[in-house]
């Protein structure tokens, strides 16, 4: 029998500061790198001539912009929402680049597996869609369109209005943050679990157990590939829901 | 004097670490060489109270510190992520995205313009082809008319020449017929004269007198006409 010594949960989620007396840990480093990488991609892209057919980094940057425009903005907000493209592009790039380090050697930690990152993003989205709604419809109009959805029998407003209030004002930011955080943390813990299990089996004193280690190792490889998809999908979902909420606040009739 | 930093979570001992007083780093996790000693001095199963630890650590000062909640947001991470996001947003929104988008729009406008130009050229080419085909059809009609006219002219001339040739042939034939008839008539006259002479001679020999020349001539003529009609 082997005894798998699983590390204390904080040792795989809570990171020490990189520099003494300076509050800057691995999660902060990933967030800063996400900004630097995104800015570098677009900086290199704009330095190439736009007159020729795009290639290399410019092609990549334009592909991301078109993905956000066509796949997120146009699908949820229509042409009126194109002004939100830079914000949604920033959000998609930032979340994706905070997710991906979960499978990059030496980092092996998605920044979004720490509640601070999704919480900040969700709160920001909450503020933005509420402010946008009030700006477009006025306080009364926004509250009316949010809390009193049209087409519902008046008697049902007794039930619907509190539900809509809880849903739009409280649950939305909470679900937005928790969805991203929980998915990324669960993926991170799964990767750690199978990595530790593989290591334990490969280094088992009982030689019979060593070949068995291939099973968790294969699972580790599969989960790593799966996390590539999850990193993209979670960034897409977060940006998509942000666009839906802002679009709903801007055009409640839709 | 060393300080024992005890980390607990939900009343359970998570980590014990002895540090000297000047050490300020209290973050976890980090292996401590004295951890085992402390735990073996009466603390079992990872469950310990501060009093137990204090007695286990002897004269050491005991500080009990709760383990950080793994899902609780930490201010420094929130601030760094917020700062990074906002910096990226400002860079993209005000500098890089407009430049990239402007370039994309300019290129798409060029492509649209090229496509429209190509459409115009295509329409012009189609119009030219239509004009060409129209002109070709007119030329074909004209050529056909000219060919018909020429054919008519040729037919007329041919018919005229044919008529002339036929007339000439007919005239020659008539002349030849006349000559033939004249020759025949001359020959018939000569034959009739010879036959009449022979008949007169024969009759004279047979009867001893010369028959009437007119009768002989009439008989010979009748005989020759009779032979000619058979």
């Amino acid at each position: 029998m082997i005894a798998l010594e699983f590390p204390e949960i904080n040792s795989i989620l809570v990171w020490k500061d990189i520099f003494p007396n300076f509050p800057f840990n691995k999660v902060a480093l990933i967030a800063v790198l996400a900004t630097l990488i995104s800015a570098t991609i677009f900086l290199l892209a704009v330095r190439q001539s736009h007159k020729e057919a795009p290639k290399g980094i410019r092609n990549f940057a334009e592909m991301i912009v078109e993905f956000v425009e066509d796949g997120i903005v146009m699908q949820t907000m229509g042409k009126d929402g194109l002004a939100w493209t830079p914000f949604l592009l920033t959000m998609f790039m930032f979340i994706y680049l905070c997710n991906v380090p979960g499978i990059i050697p030496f980092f092996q930690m998605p920044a979004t597996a720490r509640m601070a990152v999704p919480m900040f993003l969700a709160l920001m989205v909450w503020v933005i869609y509420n402010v946008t709604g009030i700006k477009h419809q006025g306080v009364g109009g926004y509250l009316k369109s949010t809390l009193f959805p049209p087409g519902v029998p008046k008697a049902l407003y007794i039930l619907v209005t509190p539900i809509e209030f809880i849903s739009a004002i409280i649950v939305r930011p909470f679900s937005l943050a928790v969805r991203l955080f929980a998915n990324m943390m669960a993926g991170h813990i799964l990767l750690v679990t199978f990595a530790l299990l593989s290591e334990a089996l490969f280094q088992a004193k009982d030689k019979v157990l060593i070949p068995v280690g291939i099973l968790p190792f294969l699972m580790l490889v599969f989960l790593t590939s799966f996390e590539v998809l999850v990193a993209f999908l979670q960034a897409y979902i977060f940006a998509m829901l942000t666009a839906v909420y802002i679009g709903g606040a801007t055009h409640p009739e839709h | 004097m060393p300080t024992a930093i005890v980390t607990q979570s939900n009343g359970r001992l998570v980590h014990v670490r002895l540090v000297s007083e000047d050490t300020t780093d209290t973050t976890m996790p980090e292996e401590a060489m004295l951890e085992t000693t402390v735990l073996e001095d009466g603390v079992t199963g990872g469950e310990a109270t501060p009093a137990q630890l204090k007695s286990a650590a002897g004269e050491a000062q005991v500080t009990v510190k709760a383990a950080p909640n793994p899902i609780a947001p930490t201010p420094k991470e929130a601030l760094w992520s917020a700062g990074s996001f906002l910096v990226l947003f400002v860079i993209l929104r005000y500098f890089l995205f407009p430049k990239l988008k402007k370039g994309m729009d300019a290129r798409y406008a060029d492509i649209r313009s090229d496509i429209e130009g190509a459409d115009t050229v295509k329409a012009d080419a189609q119009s030219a082809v239509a004009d060409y085909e129209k002109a070709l059809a007119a030329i074909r009609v004209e050529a056909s008319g000219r060919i018909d006219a020429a054919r008519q002219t040729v037919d007329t001339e041919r018919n005229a020449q044919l008529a002339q040739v036929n007339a000439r042939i007919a005239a020659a034939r008539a002349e030849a017929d006349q000559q033939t008839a004249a020759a025949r008539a001359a020959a018939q006259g000569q034959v009739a004269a010879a036959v009449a002479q022979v008949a007169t001679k024969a009759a004279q020999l047979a009867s001893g007198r010369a028959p009437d020349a007119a009768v002989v001539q009439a008989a010979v003529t009748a005989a020759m006409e009779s032979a000619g009609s058979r």
Side-chain angles (χ1 to χ4, degrees), chain A residues 42 59-79 81-96 232 235-244, chain B residues 92 97 100-101 104:
Chain A
F42 282 90
N59 189 33
F60 180 64
E62 288 191 7
M63 201 172 70
I64 299 169
V65 169
E66 285 183 346
F67 169 73
V68 172
E69 273 188 351
D70 298 338
I72 297 175
V73 178
M74 291 302 287
Q75 300 292 326
T76 54
M77 305 162 84
K79 272 193 171 181
L82 285 174
W84 288 97
T85 304
F87 175 70
L88 294 169
L89 175 71
T90 308
M91 181 155 281
F92 175 76
M93 291 286 290
F94 185 76
I95 295 174
Y96 179 70
F232 172 81
Y236 175 66
I237 290 169
F238 200 102
M240 177 69 99
L241 286 173
T242 301
V244 168
Chain B
L92 284 184
F97 180 78
L100 186 77
K101 190 69 183 153
M104 288 169 72

Side-chain angles (χ1 to χ4, degrees), chain A residues 17-249:
Chain A
D17 289 338
I18 295 169
F19 308 107
N21 299 324
F22 186 67
F24 186 80
N25 61 6
K26 189 188 265 190
V27 174
L29 175 66
I30 292 168
V32 170
L33 282 177
T35 293
L36 287 176
I37 292 167
S38 303
T40 306
I41 288 170
F42 282 90
L43 188 66
L44 293 174
V46 296
R47 288 177 68 180
Q48 288 186 11
S49 169
H50 70 268
K51 291 179 179 172
E52 297 163 8
K55 57 186 177 183
I57 196 87
R58 185 172 183 106
N59 189 33
F60 180 64
E62 288 191 7
M63 201 172 70
I64 299 169
V65 169
E66 285 183 346
F67 169 73
V68 172
E69 273 188 351
D70 298 338
I72 297 175
V73 178
M74 291 302 287
Q75 300 292 326
T76 54
M77 305 162 84
K79 272 193 171 181
D80 293 344
L82 285 174
W84 288 97
T85 304
F87 175 70
L88 294 169
L89 175 71
T90 308
M91 181 155 281
F92 175 76
M93 291 286 290
F94 185 76
I95 295 174
Y96 179 70
L97 289 173
C98 283
N99 289 348
V100 155
I103 51 165
I104 294 177
F106 302 112
F107 283 105
Q108 286 163 322
M109 170 69 193
T112 43
R114 294 290 292 152
M115 192 57 177
V117 182
M119 185 200 70
F120 156 70
L121 294 171
L123 284 176
M124 181 179 61
V125 169
W126 181 80
V127 169
I128 285 173
Y129 78 73
N130 280 313
V131 169
T132 306
I134 291 167
K135 193 177 161 191
H136 275 80
Q137 304 173 57
V139 179
Y142 178 61
L143 286 176
K144 190 184 170 192
S145 68
T146 307
L147 303 180
F148 301 94
V152 177
K154 284 187 179 174
L156 280 181
Y157 280 136
I158 298 167
L159 283 173
V160 170
T161 301
I163 292 170
E164 285 295 324
F165 177 79
I166 292 168
S167 165
I169 309 296
I170 300 170
V171 173
R172 271 186 190 178
F174 182 76
S175 68
L176 208 54
V178 168
R179 183 184 299 108
L180 177 60
F181 164 69
N183 272 291
M184 297 318 296
M185 189 176 74
H188 178 59
I189 291 172
L190 274 173
L191 289 179
V192 171
T193 304
F194 282 99
L196 287 172
L197 191 56
S198 302
E199 185 192 26
L201 286 168
F202 284 138
Q203 294 179 348
K205 288 177 184 171
D206 189 348
K207 301 292 180 195
V208 179
L209 291 173
I210 293 174
V212 182
I214 196 73
L215 295 174
F217 181 74
L218 287 176
M219 194 64 187
L220 179 64
V221 172
F222 168 75
L223 283 173
T224 303
S225 316
F226 188 65
E227 282 301 306
V228 176
L229 176 69
V230 170
F232 172 81
L233 208 59
Q234 289 303 320
Y236 175 66
I237 290 169
F238 200 102
M240 177 69 99
L241 286 173
T242 301
V244 168
Y245 295 156
I246 295 171

Side-chain angles (χ1 to χ4, degrees), chain B residues 1-227:
Chain B
M1 182 186 293
T3 302
I5 297 174
V6 181
T7 306
Q8 286 186 310
S9 179
N10 294 330
R12 291 186 53 154
L13 175 66
V14 173
H15 196 260
V16 178
R17 186 171 167 224
L18 287 183
V19 294
S20 59
E21 283 179 347
D22 57 339
T23 305
T24 52
D25 181 12
T26 57
T27 54
M28 60 168 304
E30 193 165 294
E31 294 297 331
M33 295 299 290
L34 296 174
E35 180 181 353
T36 311
T37 309
V38 173
L39 287 171
E40 282 173 353
D41 273 343
V43 182
T44 57
E47 293 179 6
T49 63
Q52 284 175 307
L53 284 165
K54 193 168 183 177
S55 66
E59 293 300 316
Q61 179 187 347
V62 174
T63 307
V64 178
K65 184 187 172 205
N69 185 339
I71 63 168
T74 52
K76 67 180 173 189
E77 290 172 357
L79 285 173
W80 276 108
S81 60
S84 302
F85 181 89
L86 294 175
V87 166
L88 178 61
F89 174 66
V90 168
I91 291 171
L92 284 184
R93 170 69 183 80
Y94 295 103
F95 301 103
L96 300 179
F97 180 78
K99 272 189 181 178
L100 186 77
K101 190 69 183 153
K102 194 178 166 187
M104 288 169 72
D105 289 344
R107 197 175 61 250
Y108 291 155
D110 285 349
I111 291 169
R112 266 195 299 275
S113 168
D114 288 348
I115 289 171
E116 283 166 9
D119 286 343
T120 308
V121 169
K122 191 181 173 186
D124 289 349
Q126 281 173 341
S127 171
V129 167
D131 289 348
Y132 166 76
E133 284 177 352
K134 198 175 165 186
L136 194 65
I139 287 168
R140 277 186 182 147
V141 168
E142 190 184 338
S144 175
R146 285 187 183 185
I147 288 167
D148 287 346
R151 190 174 289 146
Q152 236 170 356
T153 308
V154 168
D155 284 350
T156 310
E157 285 180 7
R158 189 188 64 187
N159 290 337
Q161 286 181 357
L162 210 60
Q164 277 182 349
V165 170
N166 286 339
R168 259 185 270 147
I169 289 169
R173 186 177 291 154
E175 193 181 342
D177 286 348
Q178 279 179 347
Q179 286 175 354
T180 305
R184 184 180 291 151
Q188 278 181 339
Q190 288 174 355
V191 169
V195 170
Q197 194 178 2
V198 169
T200 303
K201 196 72 175 180
Q204 192 177 2
L205 287 174
S207 63
R209 61 177 183 168
D212 187 12
V215 173
V216 171
Q217 189 63 43
V220 167
T221 301
M224 283 185 74
E225 280 177 0
S226 168

